[in-house]
């Protein structure tokens, strides 16, 4: 079996090790004898997601987001078709914000691709720290690190999860929700990178992508996640001890 991953704008959107999510997907496939091809998409490239199984887009500063925004808008229709057809997509922070309708930065409106019904606006101060959420996509709590000035408000779509009492701000620091889960798209504020400490989230994405390509009947061996789970538990403990970073 094989999977094809499109990594959008790796040089511009790679805050807090987001590119590690690609390495994690590659390794967890390699350990299962699934071959992976990663296609970086750079500014100016013509995009074609016909043979793409997973799209990944990381986070970036407001400046970098503004640079890629025009590029994403040029690929808007392809992205919309891909998402509506059930394509798997993981977007982190700045990339997550750009999937929505727009990002209001003071009196400047940065247009998003609008493939998901959400919008973001810059608030007072930044929402920074470790975060733990509970999500229906996996049993283990999802842990990560957030650092964003934008506050995201969901429209007609479901959050990825709920911020736990252990801590974190999530989408906007008000409604207690984090991220978005729309069709096979996951958007989240969680950096870290996200997937190495949350192997169940990684496997959720891989399994969804494999079943799209190969149907529901394929071998997906369990891996020994002792180290990954220890990292997850370590984060949980730090949160419970109220350690911010
Ligand atoms: N620039 C965005 C914000 O501050 C996203 C930052 C990020 O990707 N961490 O809200």
């Amino acid at each position: 079996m094989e999977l094809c991953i499109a990594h959008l704008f790796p040089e511009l959107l790679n805050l807090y090790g987001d590119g590690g999510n690609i390495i994690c997907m590659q390794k967890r496939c390699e350990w299962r004898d699934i071959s992976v091809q990663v296609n970086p998409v750079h500014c100016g490239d013509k995009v074609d997601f016909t043979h793409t199984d997973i799209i990944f887009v990381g986070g970036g500063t407001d400046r970098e987001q503004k640079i890629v925004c025009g590029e994403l808008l040029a690929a808007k229709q392809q992205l919309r078709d891909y998402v509506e057809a059930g394509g798997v997509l993981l977007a982190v922070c700045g990339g997550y914000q750009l999937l929505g309708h727009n990002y209001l930065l003071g009196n400047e409106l940065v247009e998003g691709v609008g493939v998901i019904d959400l919008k973001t606006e810059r608030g007072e101060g930044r929402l920074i720290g470790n975060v733990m959420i509970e999500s229906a996509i996996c049993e283990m709590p999802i842990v990560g690190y957030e650092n964003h000035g934008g506050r995201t408000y969901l429209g007609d779509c479901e959050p990825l999860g709920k911020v736990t009492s252990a801590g974190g701000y999530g989408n906007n620091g008000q409604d207690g929700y984090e991220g978005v889960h729309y069709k096979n798209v996951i958007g989240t504020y969680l950096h870290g990178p996200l997937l190495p400490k949350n192997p169940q989230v990684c496997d959720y994405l891989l399994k969804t992508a494999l079943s799209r390509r190969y149907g529901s009947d394929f071998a997906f061996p369990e891996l020994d996640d002792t180290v990954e789970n220890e990292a997850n538990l370590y984060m949980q403990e730090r949160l419970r001890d109220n350690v911010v970073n």
Side-chain angles (χ1 to χ4, degrees):
M1 293 193 295
E2 62 170 5
L3 284 177
C4 217
I5 302 176
H7 187 180
L8 303 197
F9 317 114
E11 308 85 353
L12 288 164
L13 299 180
N14 185 24
L15 273 183
Y16 310 115
D18 286 340
N21 292 315
I22 296 282
I23 300 171
C24 183
M25 289 190 276
Q26 276 176 308
K27 289 310 278 186
R28 294 183 73 79
C29 281
E30 190 185 298
W31 291 330
R32 293 173 164 120
D33 284 328
I34 299 165
S35 62
V36 175
Q37 195 189 328
V38 179
N39 297 323
V41 175
H42 305 287
C43 289
D45 286 357
K46 210 170 159 352
V47 303
D48 176 2
F49 299 126
T50 317
H51 302 293
T52 299
D53 300 291
I54 300 175
I55 295 177
F56 174 68
V57 48
T61 62
D62 293 345
R63 185 186 144 272
E64 291 157 338
Q65 277 176 275
K66 281 190 238 168
I67 298 172
V68 300
C69 142
E71 300 284 328
L72 279 175
L73 285 175
K76 184 174 177 161
Q77 195 55 48
Q78 289 93 321
L79 274 169
R80 179 165 294 163
D81 292 347
Y82 175 86
V83 166
E84 289 303 311
V88 177
L89 191 157
L90 172 65
V92 176
C93 201
Y96 162 42
Q97 294 170 343
L98 289 175
L99 293 183
H101 302 297
N102 47 51
Y103 177 22
L104 182 62
L105 277 161
N107 43 23
E108 184 184 3
L109 193 69
V110 178
E111 200 183 334
V113 282
V115 295
I116 303 188
D117 186 17
L118 59 88
K119 56 187 180 180
T120 301
E121 60 186 46
R122 191 68 191 248
E124 284 258 319
R126 300 189 69 78
L127 306 180
I128 305 173
N130 291 329
V131 53
M132 173 164 129
I133 69 169
E134 263 154 18
S135 168
I137 68 163
C138 58
E139 282 163 20
M140 281 187 86
I142 304 175
V143 292
Y145 169 76
E146 62 184 328
N147 182 350
H148 50 108
R151 273 66 165 168
T152 296
Y153 299 93
L154 304 185
D156 189 16
C157 49
E158 297 297 317
L160 172 63
K162 268 189 136 156
V163 177
T164 64
S165 56
Y169 298 98
N171 281 340
N172 48 53
Q174 290 163 351
D175 63 19
Y177 292 115
E178 206 294 312
V180 72
H181 187 193
Y182 172 74
K183 292 186 181 261
N184 289 328
V185 177
I186 288 180
T188 177
Y189 272 111
L190 273 54
H191 294 280
L194 170 77
L195 299 181
K197 291 191 290 292
N198 299 291
Q200 294 184 347
V201 178
C202 188
D203 284 358
Y204 173 83
L205 296 169
L206 298 178
K207 270 196 236 171
T208 309
L210 286 167
S211 48
R212 265 191 94 225
R213 205 202 254 227
Y214 296 102
S216 52
D217 195 19
F218 55 85
F220 195 75
E222 290 294 318
L223 299 176
D224 176 0
D225 286 335
T226 310
V227 173
E228 290 81 355
N229 292 344
E230 266 172 23
N232 183 296
L233 283 170
Y234 177 79
M235 287 282 293
Q236 290 189 39
E237 277 157 23
R238 282 171 73 85
L239 266 151
R240 292 202 176 99
D241 293 346
N242 264 328
V243 181
V244 172
N245 288 309

